[in-house]
Amino acid sequence: MSQNTSLLTDHYELTMVSAALRQPIAHRPCVFEVFARRLPDGRRYGVVAGTGRVLDALADFRFGPEEIAVVERFLDADTVNWLRDYRFSGDIDGYREGELYFPGSPILTVRGSFVDGVVLETVILSIMNHDSAIASAAARMVSAASSRPIIEMGSRRTHERAAVASSRAAYIAGLAATSNLEAARSYGVPSAGTAAHAFTLAFTGPDGPDEKAAFAAQVEALGVSTTLLVDTYDITQGVYNAIDVAGTELGAVRIDSGDLGVLARKVREQLDGLGATKTKIVVSGDLDEYAIASLRAEPVDTYGVGTSLVTGSGAPTAGMVYKLVEVNGRPVAKRASHKESRGGAKQAVRVSRASGTITEEVIFAASDTPPVFDKTQGERVRPLQIPLVRGGEVVDDLPGLTDARDHLAAALVSLPWEGLGLSHGDPAVSTRYAL
């Protein structure tokens, strides 16, 4: 999706530019970093998502006539002219999408002049914080579901554009499909869906509801591999009607309400008794990772998630910040209580045992060589940042969405076993500063 992104920012970003352009600092080389001081309460890891959307937003960060008409209301002529010609010309390095992050991880490093970098703060943070929050929540759901697929269906519970971004981030985290067709078009995320209760309710005539007629119409249009929603009226009768209409080769039935564990057991027994042993059971209805985990022992084949994934209750903010850490090659740092930052541009490596299990993340000065590690026991060291932008141009052949999905799946396996727990606890991997 391409749209001008220059006004997806805060007023003060541009007033800072206006003030800076009158001073020598405007064009001094600077380094900005994106990092999270801490993980959301109870979380053991975070998932990087949104990097690809940041790069798309950077390409569309332009001040055309419509954008200039807005900013010239409060900016001086020199600043307006500078914005009219604005093109980011610096470099960006960062963690690839699908990478895990922990407190202090230098997730994104932006190098350029002060005015080049400061104007990008809000658009970068708004994308990275949203998408990483969704991906982190979705990854927990995927872990809780084990090998059972999850369909994302949260479009009606969030902003229309946030819904598309949420589908993309959830796919990186391992969800199987989305209900959102714009995500399918824009990002190639597989789409899925059949019918809602409204379809069944519509088949009501003079003699009352006709659930069989609704099921027959759906099967006629979509085939017996479809999923029939059986809880509009009475679930037990709904299952009988579904198999009577579609036969024992029906693809699946869906339950969207009630005590899902109890109902799934009863429906499985009923389906098997009717000979529909291959008909799967899909459950949905405000599921989060805890509800999914509680259903692990039940005969559930697929989960549908929405509200708890795309809203703040289920996906708390990633808490990422964008801070100036270096000016003219000299470290600078914020000292305010509880909002401290560490000065200087940084790199990071992740250390793991020979088995592949991560033991720590080590952060060191970008100007230094990586710390020396003892590899006699098979210890492995992997750099975390990759080049993303050089001279204002996005680097060729960056990992795509499927690559990010595969990378995260492997990364989750590399966590210490307690790192996948849903209970409150410390970050799964400790961060060590070698500065």
Side-chain angles (χ1 to χ4, degrees):
M1 294 181 296
S2 179
Q3 61 176 347
N4 194 303
T5 56
S6 63
L7 295 186
L8 299 178
T9 190
D10 289 312
H11 186 107
Y12 77 85
E13 305 287 5
L14 303 188
T15 54
M16 277 194 290
V17 168
S18 178
L21 287 172
R22 300 165 184 264
Q23 305 295 329
I25 67 166
H27 302 294
R28 285 177 181 165
C30 291
V31 179
F32 295 84
E33 282 183 352
V34 174
F35 61 93
R37 293 189 178 93
R38 60 194 65 86
L39 297 175
D41 185 41
R43 296 296 173 87
R44 307 293 187 90
Y45 62 86
V47 176
V48 176
T51 312
R53 294 209 307 121
V54 164
L55 299 179
D56 290 341
L58 187 66
D60 294 327
F61 200 92
R62 303 286 186 265
F63 288 85
E66 292 183 8
E67 293 71 36
I68 291 296
V70 173
V71 302
E72 65 182 359
R73 299 171 190 168
F74 61 91
L75 293 175
D76 60 277
D78 288 343
T79 303
V80 169
N81 287 333
W82 184 86
L83 291 173
R84 187 177 281 115
D85 297 329
Y86 177 81
R87 302 289 187 274
F88 179 73
S89 58
D91 299 337
I92 301 178
D93 296 312
Y95 286 29
R96 57 178 291 167
E97 284 198 277
E99 188 64 85
L100 301 176
Y101 73 87
F102 302 96
S105 296
I107 296 164
L108 213 64
T109 302
V110 179
R111 292 179 172 84
S113 71
F114 176 78
V115 287
D116 267 347
V118 77
V119 76
L120 298 175
E121 175 181 1
T122 300
V123 69
I124 287 176
L125 284 182
S126 62
I127 293 172
M128 297 294 293
N129 270 318
H130 174 271
D131 290 22
S132 296
I134 298 297
S136 299
R140 286 162 59 88
M141 294 180 181
V142 169
S143 295
S146 189
S147 59
R148 300 173 186 178
I150 305 176
I151 300 171
E152 184 277 317
M153 48 180 67
S155 295
R156 291 167 292 171
R157 297 294 185 265
T158 188
H159 184 277
E160 67 272 15
R161 288 296 173 183
V164 183
S166 296
S167 298
R168 180 185 184 278
Y171 185 68
I172 289 174
L175 268 65
T178 179
S179 65
N180 190 283
L181 289 179
E182 185 58 52
R185 182 184 73 141
S186 297
Y187 301 117
V189 178
S191 63
T194 50
H197 292 101
F199 185 78
T200 303
L201 290 168
F203 285 79
T204 299
D207 298 326
D210 193 346
E211 189 175 50
K212 279 190 176 183
F215 290 167
Q218 185 175 328
V219 170
E220 181 182 1
L222 303 177
V224 295
S225 63
T226 192
T227 298
L228 297 177
L229 184 57
V230 295
D231 71 340
T232 304
Y233 304 113
D234 176 78
I235 290 181
T236 300
Q237 187 60 50
V239 172
Y240 279 124
N241 289 341
I243 300 306
D244 187 40
V245 168
T248 57
E249 296 302 309
L250 175 65
V253 296
R254 179 161 74 97
I255 309 168
D256 189 52
S257 58
D259 188 328
L260 296 178
V262 172
L263 291 173
R265 289 197 299 275
K266 290 183 176 180
V267 168
R268 182 73 272 160
E269 292 174 2
Q270 187 181 2
L271 288 170
D272 291 347
L274 293 170
T277 57
K278 295 181 181 179
T279 299
K280 295 182 177 181
I281 297 175
V282 181
V283 298
S284 55
D286 294 335
L287 295 175
D288 60 13
E289 62 265 47
Y290 302 104
I292 291 172
S294 72
L295 292 168
R296 188 176 293 173
E298 307 298 348
V300 173
D301 298 289
T302 301
Y303 304 94
V305 300
T307 303
S308 294
L309 177 62
V310 302
T311 65
S313 59
T317 178
M320 294 179 184
V321 295
Y322 182 98
K323 296 300 177 186
L324 179 65
V325 296
E326 193 171 286
V327 179
N328 250 353
R330 300 184 63 179
V332 296
K334 186 175 181 179
R335 301 300 183 200
S337 178
H338 303 298
K339 290 190 175 182
E340 302 90 348
S341 61
R342 293 177 181 265
K346 304 167 194 71
Q347 299 183 62
V349 294
R350 194 157 289 160
V351 185
S352 60
R353 301 189 182 100
S355 63
T357 301
I358 302 168
T359 57
E360 66 177 349
E361 184 163 315
V362 181
I363 299 173
F364 57 99
S367 57
D368 291 348
T369 56
V372 176
F373 297 91
D374 181 7
K375 298 183 180 180
T376 58
Q377 303 301 315
E379 198 172 49
R380 303 174 185 175
V381 180
R382 179 171 62 87
L384 292 168
Q385 286 197 334
I386 63 172
L388 300 172
V389 175
R390 288 293 179 266
E393 298 295 328
V394 176
V395 173
D396 291 334
D397 299 323
L398 288 175
L401 205 60
T402 301
D403 298 318
R405 180 182 170 91
D406 293 343
H407 185 84
L408 176 57
L412 290 172
V413 173
S414 72
L415 282 173
W417 67 267
E418 64 272 16
L420 294 175
L422 299 181
S423 60
H424 285 228
D426 295 329
V429 175
S430 62
T431 301
R432 177 164 64 90
Y433 290 91
L435 297 171

